Amino acid sequence: MDRRLRYVQVKITGSTVLKLQPFKLERFFARYEFKAPYLLSSSDCESMSVAELLALEPGAAEAFQRHWLGYTESQGDPALRQEIASLYEGIRAEEVLVHAGAEEAIFAFMNAALTPGDHVIVHFPCYQSLTEIARSSACEVTKWETHPEDGWELDIDLLKRSIRSNTRAIVFNCPHNPTGYLMSRDTLNQIVEVAREHGLIVFSDEVYRGLEHDPADRLPAACDLYENAVSLGVLSKTYGLAGLRIGWIATRNKDVFQAAASFKDYLSICNSAPSEFLARVALRHREAIAGRNLAIIRDNLALLDSFFARYANLFDWRRPKAGSTAFSSIRHDQNVEDFCVDVVKRSGVLLLPGTCFNYGDRHFRIGYGRKNMPEAVGKLEEYLQLTIPVRDR
Ligand SMILES: Cc1ncc(COP(=O)(O)O)c(C=O)c1O
């Protein structure tokens, strides 16, 4: 971690300056992601080439050649918004705001919906921007902490006890990065009940939706359940199309929608025209793409089960229920960041230390949505054979 870099300063409008702490996960990946040959911690599923995507639909390659490269509509291409709306039960195209990735959507939502002094309750551990943007905007942030010994379960009584007079929003992420936790339908209903009772906004990060390992576990989207909920989606994870940088929010709350749309004028303004075209193609074939990625995940999980059974002395393993990541921990007495750095330097296998989630010094994230995972696990095993004394394995 670059400890000299204390803040990233972003000038938003006039004299407003956000003091954002470095995004630890991104800074760690910036050092290794494009050098390490075996990525074993990526959260996005297997990707594909433009040609492979266009081949899913007769005529798409020719139409792509003719696609216009001017500015696009700021709220998103209407046909794309329509396609995204069809992912939900009760959302109209006008209630979908397309962004440059989920990251821009989080940034716009937090700035649009919150004002300094507001209190936000955030599912923890979490993707850093879910806490950091609110914190840097002088909001009070309470971490809604979850623990491995409870199966990372969200505690509704803790949520209720965390509510204050200035609480404005509840933020959660399911399927969850990094733990692979998926709450029950009953828990989701209870969160909505609490939010409704206190007039709170719900921000539901659903970027891994569709990656439930048992499809019967899929939760309704929060925006379908609750009029003041914002559901966050993206093409990066379930569909493996992170390079498109197409994400969105879906909400029936018109004020939040309008504020986020106005804020976007100071960010990307509009989306990339080629990406919007390709995103439409991808969404028309979403079941095939997600199905391919779920098949990769199922094979990889079986392999991880046997890997962790072989190394039960070294690691704790909790089989995730959903998503493309799991949060394992090391049992031996070594700082996990030192462990991950040594692994990547000596074997080329990239794991992600839990320090990047500000979560202690024992956990690390595994990503299992990529086709070459068996090879990466093989390399990790070679590393363990070479470095760990036989009695400790
Ligand atoms: C929970 C969560 N939300 C949002 C994002 C941001 O997604 P994107 O990189 O596609 O903008 C990520 C990416 O890792 C994530 O894990």
Side-chain angles (χ1 to χ4, degrees):
M1 221 78 348
D2 187 347
R3 294 193 170 83
R4 286 162 309 173
L5 191 60
R6 286 202 50 235
Y7 291 113
V8 180
Q9 298 214 350
V10 183
K11 221 178 188 139
I12 299 297
T13 51
S15 60
T16 314
V17 174
L18 292 185
K19 288 200 159 186
L20 289 161
Q21 285 178 354
F23 202 132
K24 289 190 176 175
L25 177 155
E26 296 300 342
R27 289 301 91 216
F28 190 81
F29 271 171
R31 273 160 63 190
Y32 302 110
E33 189 181 7
F34 291 94
K35 294 195 193 103
Y38 307 103
L39 302 182
L40 192 49
S41 50
S42 305
S43 59
D44 48 332
C45 288
E46 184 73 17
S47 197
M48 62 178 69
S49 68
V50 172
E52 281 171 295
L53 176 61
L54 290 172
L56 292 173
E57 188 168 300
E62 296 72 21
F64 188 49
Q65 295 295 320
R66 294 190 298 275
H67 197 61
W68 197 250
L69 290 179
Y71 279 112
T72 65
E73 285 192 37
S74 158
Q75 302 191 350
D77 167 35
L80 175 59
R81 293 169 81 194
Q82 188 64 56
E83 210 59 69
I84 294 170
S86 72
L87 296 169
Y88 303 99
E89 296 289 321
I91 289 289
R92 292 172 296 131
E94 309 86 85
E95 294 165 329
V96 171
L97 178 61
V98 186
H99 282 280
E103 180 69 325
E104 184 188 78
I106 296 171
F107 194 75
F109 164 80
M110 296 285 172
N111 279 281
L114 305 176
T115 43
D118 281 348
H119 174 237
V120 192
I121 301 167
V122 187
H123 186 173
F124 186 82
C126 67
Y127 188 66
Q128 192 175 336
S129 45
L130 296 174
T131 50
E132 180 57 19
I133 296 166
R135 192 208 58 77
S136 72
S137 313
C139 292
E140 295 166 24
V141 176
T142 295
K143 291 175 182 167
W144 185 6
E145 300 225 19
T146 61
H147 307 281
E149 57 276 19
D150 307 326
W152 304 107
E153 196 56 62
L154 284 165
D155 177 346
I156 297 294
D157 289 329
L158 178 58
L159 172 68
K160 289 180 181 163
R161 289 200 302 279
S162 302
I163 290 175
R164 304 178 189 164
S165 56
N166 59 339
T167 304
R168 171 95 172 122
I170 305 171
V171 176
F172 52 82
N173 163 224
C174 262
H176 184 249
N177 169 21
T179 64
Y181 163 77
L182 182 65
M183 70 175 102
S184 68
R185 196 175 266 247
D186 183 49
T187 303
L188 178 59
N189 286 337
Q190 289 185 63
I191 298 173
V192 167
E193 218 173 278
V194 171
R196 195 172 265 131
E197 187 188 331
H198 294 271
L200 307 179
I201 295 173
V202 156
F203 186 78
S204 172
D205 181 332
E206 298 166 6
V207 301
Y208 299 91
R209 190 158 181 258
L211 288 183
E212 299 75 16
H213 303 163
D214 177 353
D217 291 337
R218 181 162 317 158
L219 295 170
C223 61
D224 280 328
L225 285 185
Y226 177 42
E227 56 287 359
N228 289 320
V230 177
S231 287
L232 176 72
V234 82
L235 286 181
S236 310
K237 309 297 183 184
T238 309
Y239 308 101
L241 302 171
L244 294 182
R245 310 308 300 132
I246 292 287
W248 60 86
I249 57 165
T251 182
R252 290 178 277 150
N253 181 314
K254 291 191 173 48
D255 294 339
V256 169
F257 183 96
Q258 283 310 335
S262 297
F263 199 80
K264 190 188 166 192
D265 294 340
Y266 283 99
L267 301 174
S268 59
I269 301 178
C270 71
N271 304 295
S272 142
S275 287
E276 288 197 322
F277 180 98
L278 296 170
R280 266 165 48 206
V281 176
L283 284 171
R284 285 199 287 269
H285 299 277
R286 59 180 175 262
E287 289 189 358
I289 301 172
R292 179 202 69 161
N293 288 341
L294 266 171
I296 294 173
I297 280 178
R298 289 201 186 98
D299 288 350
N300 284 347
L301 273 176
L303 199 139
L304 286 177
D305 283 339
S306 60
F307 169 83
F308 282 110
R310 282 197 299 285
Y311 292 95
N313 277 352
L314 292 182
F315 306 112
D316 275 323
W317 168 240
R318 276 180 187 76
R319 198 178 217 269
K321 276 190 89 172
S324 46
T325 62
F327 215 31
S328 179
S329 59
I330 51 177
R331 290 176 182 271
H332 52 289
D333 192 21
Q334 187 183 9
N335 175 289
V336 79
E337 195 165 322
D338 295 342
F339 170 71
C340 293
V341 168
D342 196 53
V343 171
V344 72
K345 286 192 170 156
R346 292 169 71 163
S347 70
V349 175
L350 185 60
L351 297 167
L352 182 69
T355 46
C356 291
F357 290 88
N358 293 317
Y359 192 82
D361 61 2
R362 279 287 172 273
H363 281 79
F364 61 96
R365 184 175 84 181
I366 293 252
Y368 48 81
R370 300 286 184 91
K371 236 177 10 198
N372 73 341
M373 200 204 79
E375 212 186 330
V377 169
K379 291 286 169 192
L380 178 60
E381 195 151 12
E382 275 172 28
Y383 168 91
L384 296 173
Q385 297 288 337
L386 284 175
T387 56
I388 309 280
V390 175
R391 65 181 148 69
D392 295 336
R393 280 184 216 145

